[in-house]
Amino acid sequence: MEEQRLRKALRQYTVPVPRPEQKAMTKLLASKALANKPLTQGKPFLQRLRELAAYISPTTWILQAMVLLLVLSGLTGSNGAQLFTTFSIVTPLLGIIGGCELIRSYGHNMWELEMSCRHNLRSIFAVKMLILGCVDFFVLGAAIFITGLSGTKFALTAVMILVPFNLSNSLYLWLIVKLRHRCTNYVLAGTGVFLSLIMLWINGALNQTLFAKIFSQYMVAVPILTASLVLLIAAAAILLRSSGKGYNKWNYI
Amino acid sequence: MELYLNHISKVYDTKTAVDDVTLKLGPGIYGLLGANGAGKTTLMRIICDIQQATGGRVEYDHEDITGLGEEYRNVLGYLPQHFGYYPDFTAYKFMLYLASLKGLSKGYAKEKSLQLLEEVGLMEVRNKKIKTFSGGMLQRLGIAQALLNDPLVMVLDEPTVGLDPKERVKFRNMISSLSSDKIVIFSTHIVSDIEYIADQILVMKSGRIMHQGRPEEITKEVEGKVWECRVQGKEVDRYVAEYNVGNLKHEGSDTVLRIVSDEKPMEEAIQVAPTLEDLYLYYFEEAGEEQ
């Protein structure tokens, strides 16, 4: 009896089932409240990409577009060997633009502030590299696809383009990490030009240039061989650095 | 809430920038007083997890800040001594950029940025490029960005540089209003800033914390070492060369010197109550002489 009385009393306090429109309104109000909440638990990665992309310098995009258009324009009327030469020269230079965007943090002395933020400098570098790298990848991929259509072997084309691209970018990153504030746009540009000369030599085009006419073949080869050795050492250093101590290394001055 | 610096050291080749510093900091305002090269900036960078200590560790609520990572930076607000900016950014865009890096939601970031720009008196120039700003305006922008995420730990390196007296008073009031539930550490050469708002003073010299305490406790270190002397015109230069003169005031044909010295500089010297500035001169004038 007592139990029945209690059940009857409790039934009076049952919460009514919300209607669909009430549920929708609750969700809307909750999302608005969340939008005004100070700190997010964790932003979706795509949102972070979109937000940071808005702050990449317009000059970077313009220069990127110019170089890529130059590459694509070089495709017209070129045969297989000339294509390889064109791509090999240009791909090291493409990474310079991205590298210059990264070192803006040091050049404008923003690195301290950025390092102290929740999404710190390491994260900013990674996201910027991803944004710029994706753009380069899609355009280069299109270029590879086009050369594939002209009958050149796809895999060989990919190797001739992507290997110098990735190696040169690895070298630029190593320079940025190693030199920090001392790594200026000139350092990256000089390195890029040097790498382009190496690619010219590998493609056998350097011997036919004016440079080769002035200097003997051996004199041309020595700096290029030295540069090749430096590149190998840089690659080894990058591999050795990825030993799991990344966080502390980035915060080490 | 507690920040614990546990035997922090930082050594660059042969130079020791921070030498075995151990501090326990609870909510309040801490003024870090030291001459150039004392190690203040290095210590602050270590606290902000920007620089790696050679030895020791910094703990926030009993957890190593290097392990906390994002969690710690979430509650951190930092204003560096040499404050950089992207010149093509406007003040408002700069605030939104840093708000984005601090993980603030878009709606809140816009509201908070405008509120802070209003508080620091930059609302009217919010859409102007930062490269057009004066030094004082830049410093105010720096203070504003440090407050974006309502930090629980605020580290301000020379925050009053470039501010005029009115702006410094405003800054002091702003900081004083924050201190009740936050740990605020700021360094400055302007002794009056520390005197007026710091709950505790940390005196740093050659990488070590020499003294820690309230302003009235700290100044006891130089009690009995501050003198006022009245000298004739010709003797002023001799006393200035020989002693640590904190103040020089002409009164008719005489000059009144405020001297900080272990021994009595002259027979007629009168002992006076020390101030924080006298303490600074006592400790850091010696460093200047050594250099």
Side-chain angles (χ1 to χ4, degrees), chain B residues 134-137 139-140 159-172 190 193:
Chain B
S134 66
M137 290 164 80
Q139 203 65 15
R140 281 185 275 152
T160 54
V161 163
L163 300 183
D164 63 36
K166 189 178 168 189
E167 288 164 342
R168 288 222 310 275
V169 168
K170 206 172 175 186
F171 164 76
R172 278 188 222 148
I190 303 169
D193 286 341

Side-chain angles (χ1 to χ4, degrees), chain A:
Chain A
M1 193 69 184
E2 181 69 19
E3 195 183 322
Q4 275 179 350
R5 200 171 62 79
L6 273 170
R7 277 178 194 267
K8 194 178 173 184
L10 285 170
R11 232 178 267 132
Q12 288 173 357
Y13 298 103
T14 307
V15 175
V17 175
R19 297 190 301 279
E21 54 269 24
Q22 281 180 320
K23 277 187 185 173
M25 181 56 81
T26 307
K27 279 182 187 170
L28 182 69
L29 290 170
S31 64
K32 275 187 179 174
L34 191 67
N36 286 328
K37 202 168 171 242
L39 284 170
T40 55
Q41 287 302 309
K43 281 185 189 175
F45 191 67
L46 279 176
Q47 188 185 344
R48 280 182 55 203
L49 276 180
R50 274 199 311 271
E51 284 181 7
L52 199 59
Y55 296 107
I56 290 177
S57 169
T59 314
T60 302
W61 292 121
I62 292 166
L63 285 171
Q64 194 94 331
M66 279 167 61
V67 173
L68 289 169
L69 278 170
L70 207 64
V71 170
L72 294 173
S73 67
L75 293 175
T76 54
S78 304
N79 61 34
Q82 283 175 339
L83 274 173
F84 286 139
T85 309
T86 308
F87 282 135
S88 298
I89 299 164
V90 173
T91 44
L93 301 176
L94 202 57
I96 298 172
I97 301 159
C100 292
E101 174 61 31
L102 294 182
I103 63 172
R104 280 183 85 216
S105 295
Y106 290 119
H108 294 295
N109 215 22
M110 275 291 291
W111 62 274
E112 268 191 278
L113 272 177
E114 288 169 343
M115 259 191 185
S116 66
C117 291
R118 178 180 176 179
H119 304 303
N120 64 1
L121 188 62
R122 187 175 185 231
S123 172
I124 294 165
F125 271 30
V127 170
K128 277 187 179 177
M129 274 159 46
L130 186 61
I131 294 168
L132 294 168
C134 282
V135 170
D136 290 339
F137 182 78
F138 283 125
V139 177
L140 286 176
I144 293 167
F145 189 65
I146 289 166
T147 58
L149 284 175
S150 69
T152 315
K153 285 183 183 174
F154 182 82
L156 184 62
T157 314
V159 164
M160 288 299 287
I161 294 166
L162 291 175
V163 168
F165 182 65
N166 287 319
L167 272 180
S168 57
N169 284 334
S170 301
L171 181 60
Y172 300 143
L173 278 174
W174 183 80
L175 284 169
I176 290 169
V177 171
K178 197 69 187 169
L179 300 177
R180 288 192 182 86
H181 317 85
R182 295 186 298 276
C183 185
T184 62
N185 294 346
Y186 299 111
V187 168
L188 294 178
T191 310
V193 167
F194 210 49
L195 290 173
S196 292
L197 286 174
I198 294 169
M199 294 316 300
L200 269 174
W201 177 63
I202 290 170
N203 278 289
L206 196 59
N207 293 336
Q208 295 154 24
T209 63
L210 184 64
F211 189 68
K213 285 175 187 169
I214 298 167
F215 297 99
S216 72
Q217 198 167 10
Y218 294 109
M219 284 182 70
V220 166
V222 164
I224 289 171
L225 282 171
T226 311
S228 305
L229 193 64
V230 166
L231 195 60
L232 280 168
I233 294 168
I238 287 161
L239 287 169
L240 286 169
R241 268 179 171 262
S242 58
S243 58
K245 295 180 191 173
Y247 176 76
N248 281 330
K249 290 291 184 185
W250 273 93
N251 284 10
Y252 178 71
I253 298 175

